[in-house]
Amino acid sequence: MFIRIVPKGATPLVWDLSQGPCRIGREAANELVVCEDGISRFHAELRQEGKSVILSDAGSSNGVFIDGDRVKRPTVIMPGERFTLCRNAATVWFETMTNSSVVIRRRPPTRGASSSSATSVCCY
């Protein structure tokens, strides 16, 4: 299942959940890097279970919220539903897609590169 993740004020990311989860956080090792105050290094995760998309808090300090309610356990989210990474920080939503000819992923960091180059996206 392809999903299109739309972070507020940032470039959308198309991710194939059948290839693995989409991790979200400040750390460059995440598939979606969000550099905002209050965002943990590994903040949240989206994954596919059957035909559902599951949102989990990855042990963040400031939480993940759907409609203002803190996500305390893995939760099914619906296409178009918005979730927030910590209160008053990044708002993210996603859309399911039947297929995608271009999957956008984070460029792996190169040895000796600054962290800013690791957070850019490129087409594979």
Side-chain angles (χ1 to χ4, degrees):
M1 170 189 307
F2 289 95
I3 61 169
R4 182 172 182 253
I5 303 164
V6 186
K8 181 179 178 182
T11 303
L13 169 78
V14 177
W15 187 256
D16 182 358
L17 286 176
S18 67
Q19 300 298 309
C22 181
R23 298 168 300 166
I24 305 168
R26 267 192 355 257
E27 181 69 35
N30 290 296
E31 285 71 34
L32 177 59
V33 177
V34 180
C35 297
E36 289 191 30
D37 290 340
I39 303 298
S40 296
R41 290 181 306 135
F42 297 100
H43 200 99
E45 178 181 273
L46 291 169
R47 71 178 185 282
Q48 180 178 346
E49 284 188 11
K51 293 184 179 183
S52 298
V53 176
I54 309 297
L55 172 65
S56 300
D57 187 318
S60 69
S61 299
N62 295 316
V64 176
F65 299 85
I66 299 174
D67 295 328
D69 296 323
R70 190 168 187 154
V71 173
K72 295 179 181 170
R73 60 180 183 270
T75 303
V76 174
I77 56 173
M78 304 304 294
E81 192 163 27
R82 295 171 189 244
F83 59 93
T84 305
L85 306 174
C86 92
R87 293 196 190 275
N88 303 319
T91 300
V92 181
W93 69 92
F94 83 99
E95 305 162 346
T96 57
M97 303 170 69
T98 55
N99 59 35
S100 176
S101 59
V102 178
V103 177
I104 301 173
R105 295 187 181 178
R106 181 190 50 78
R107 180 183 309 130
T110 56
R111 184 172 286 199
S114 69
S115 61
S116 63
S117 67
T119 60
S120 61
V121 294
C122 61
C123 298
Y124 290 107

